[in-house]
Amino acid sequence: MSEPILRVERLRKVFRYSNPDPNSNTADMWFSYLLGLLGKDAGPFGAERRTVVALDGLSFEVGWGEFFGVLGPNGAGKTTLVKVLATVLRPDSGRVVINGHDTSQETARVRASISVVPAAGWLGFDSQLTAGRNLEFWGRIYGLDRKQAHERSFEALKAVGLEEWYSESPGHLSSGMRQRLAVARGLLFHAPMFILDEPTANVDPAAAYQIRDFIRNELNRGLGQTVLFTTHNMSEAEQLCDRVAIVDRGRLLARDRPSALVAALPDRVVEVRLPSRARDALREIRERGIALHVTDYFEGEDSGRLRMQLRSGVDEDSVDRALSSAGLEASSIRRVQPNLEDVFLHHTGRRLDGDA
Ligand SMILES: Nc1ncnc2c1ncn2[C@@H]1O[C@H](COP(=O)(O)OP(=O)(O)OP(=O)(O)O)[C@@H](O)[C@H]1O
Ligand SMILES: [Mg+2]
């Protein structure tokens, strides 16, 4: 196999800090300081040393031209990973090689190989200039000539659906529109690899569609560029990616094509529909320990629905029997295709969106 464009090897990053931060100048900080002077234990207000393992031995590779997703919930370590790839944060240990260059030794070469769209990237635009001029400025910084900078700026604004805002100040844009402007900035410079940290977070569905369409169809399929993007949206990852790495608490849980991840799931996922009494059905299923996890529950006026991962050895018939013996009649019980949310739940016992 040829050398991949990105190789991440046993990456580890631990954050150590005090809470409250001794430099924070907050009331909590002063309270804890004064109690300390008096030689008293500050109790719940005391400064506490905290250690967070943000990346815990993460390894994976991305091949040239791949569309690769890093899927994980809040706090999984996605932004920390992106910062390490972008050479703005040094890992404690492990190694990253991008386009043949080591991020800890060949920073300039790595930076020339990637175009990064950071999360909350709307910071850093000048509201004295128009949106278009801001992009042109960044284009010039990236080394484009005046004409290229103008053309690319317009093309990038169009890609994120903001072409009509070319002459407006970024200060007049909503936060979702500013996020789109930040994505546009990343599109000015065509490096071999695009790295985008949650490019569709905080963006409405139509704009999210436009951003996805552009990065998948124009950048990746059209121009053949490699894309790594992070998301906590499992259906986005499932629909878009050639391959997905599912991460949680800095660890890799699984990595493969979305269809292969789903196919490898040993658990049977079923959907039960009922004309009524879905709540009773839920209780019955919980009491009998039939399901490993109930992943969806809905009770309406004249219909109800339950979706669940079944415990091993349990099938649709056992669900039917259990419900019937409790006087509940399902209108249908059918096996359904699992999704990446089911894969995440299988590995962690938790939902991707954080609800248990
Ligand atoms: N500068 C920092 N100092 C201390 N802890 C940090 C710092 N940056 C991140 N962390 C911690 O590291 C862990 C991973 O954070 P990170 O921002 O990488 O997660 P994430 O996957 O990007 O989450 P989100 O989906 O919320 O953006 C979290 O527990 C976070 O609290
Ligand atoms: Mg993040």
Side-chain angles (χ1 to χ4, degrees):
M1 190 181 136
S2 64
E3 179 68 6
I5 189 166
L6 168 68
R7 197 143 42 85
V8 174
E9 287 174 4
R10 297 183 301 283
L11 214 52
R12 188 171 164 84
K13 178 73 197 174
V14 181
F15 290 107
R16 292 189 174 82
Y17 61 99
S18 272
N19 192 38
D21 186 326
N23 296 317
S24 65
N25 207 21
T26 56
D28 274 3
M29 186 279 286
W30 284 110
F31 192 55
S32 117
Y33 170 73
L34 290 172
L35 285 171
L37 285 183
L38 296 171
K40 296 210 162 81
D41 179 9
F45 297 101
E48 187 192 337
R49 298 288 301 165
R50 291 201 180 154
T51 303
V52 178
V53 183
L55 297 174
D56 194 3
L58 196 63
S59 301
F60 64 89
E61 291 180 355
V62 177
W64 287 86
E66 254 195 304
F67 197 96
F68 192 88
V70 177
L71 174 69
N74 292 146
K78 304 182 295 296
T79 299
T80 307
L81 170 69
V82 167
K83 285 180 178 167
V84 172
L85 302 186
T87 73
V88 294
L89 193 68
R90 265 181 194 276
D92 297 335
S93 59
R95 201 162 95 101
V96 178
V97 179
I98 299 181
N99 195 16
H101 309 297
D102 190 311
T103 50
S104 64
Q105 285 154 23
E106 299 168 275
T107 313
R109 290 219 164 110
V110 169
R111 288 186 181 183
S113 305
I114 54 177
S115 183
V116 181
V117 177
W122 56 79
L123 303 168
F125 287 113
D126 185 345
S127 55
Q128 304 291 318
L129 300 176
T130 65
R133 284 280 184 207
N134 264 284
L135 292 189
E136 286 173 20
F137 165 78
W138 283 103
R140 297 303 300 274
I141 295 264
Y142 290 140
L144 303 179
D145 66 30
R146 197 177 289 277
K147 185 161 169 284
Q148 279 175 325
H150 179 73
E151 283 169 6
R152 291 261 181 96
S153 298
F154 191 76
E155 183 189 287
L157 278 179
K158 205 161 156 225
V160 299
L162 286 181
E163 68 271 32
E164 285 170 19
W165 295 81
Y166 194 94
S167 304
E168 283 285 342
S169 156
H172 299 154
L173 305 184
S174 72
S175 57
M177 288 159 98
R178 274 185 236 166
Q179 169 66 10
R180 284 148 67 186
L181 188 59
V183 173
R185 182 172 64 195
L187 307 180
L188 292 172
F189 171 59
H190 292 179
M193 181 170 196
F194 275 81
I195 299 174
L196 306 100
D197 192 8
E198 302 219 40
T200 59
N202 206 21
V203 161
D204 71 43
Y209 175 84
Q210 206 159 0
I211 291 172
R212 285 183 203 125
D213 182 53
F214 187 82
I215 58 177
R216 182 55 157 148
N217 293 321
E218 307 267 333
L219 286 181
N220 177 249
R221 290 197 174 124
L223 295 172
Q225 271 155 332
T226 310
V227 176
L228 177 146
F229 84 109
T230 73
T231 182
H232 59 258
N233 180 331
M234 66 90 194
S235 66
E236 179 172 82
E238 197 162 321
Q239 284 163 24
L240 283 182
C241 297
D242 294 323
R243 284 194 310 141
V244 178
I246 304 184
V247 291
D248 183 46
R249 297 174 180 167
R251 289 186 191 196
L252 183 79
L253 299 181
R255 174 202 43 203
D256 210 331
R257 286 175 293 113
S259 58
L261 288 172
V262 161
L265 192 73
D267 311 319
R268 192 181 280 255
V269 180
V270 299
E271 187 183 78
V272 179
R273 287 181 181 267
L274 303 112
S276 62
R277 299 179 61 201
R279 190 181 299 270
D280 294 338
L282 176 64
R283 197 183 47 239
E284 197 59 31
I285 278 163
R286 288 222 162 112
E287 274 172 12
R288 289 179 183 246
I290 287 172
L292 286 171
H293 304 284
V294 176
T295 55
D296 188 26
Y297 162 71
F298 166 78
E299 176 154 26
E301 288 267 303
D302 51 7
S303 69
R305 187 179 69 237
L306 290 167
R307 185 182 180 283
M308 60 195 126
Q309 280 182 17
L310 296 184
R311 195 167 288 288
S312 75
V314 175
D315 62 9
E316 293 91 312
D317 284 344
S318 349
V319 176
D320 194 24
R321 279 196 301 276
L323 292 177
S324 306
S325 68
L328 294 156
E329 197 168 339
S331 32
S332 70
I333 302 176
R334 61 188 185 97
R335 189 165 181 180
V336 293
Q337 175 82 357
N339 56 36
L340 291 184
E341 175 91 53
D342 295 309
V343 176
F344 186 82
L345 195 56
H346 170 81
H347 284 283
T348 64
R350 287 179 289 116
R351 302 277 300 266
L352 246 177
D353 59 16
D355 297 341

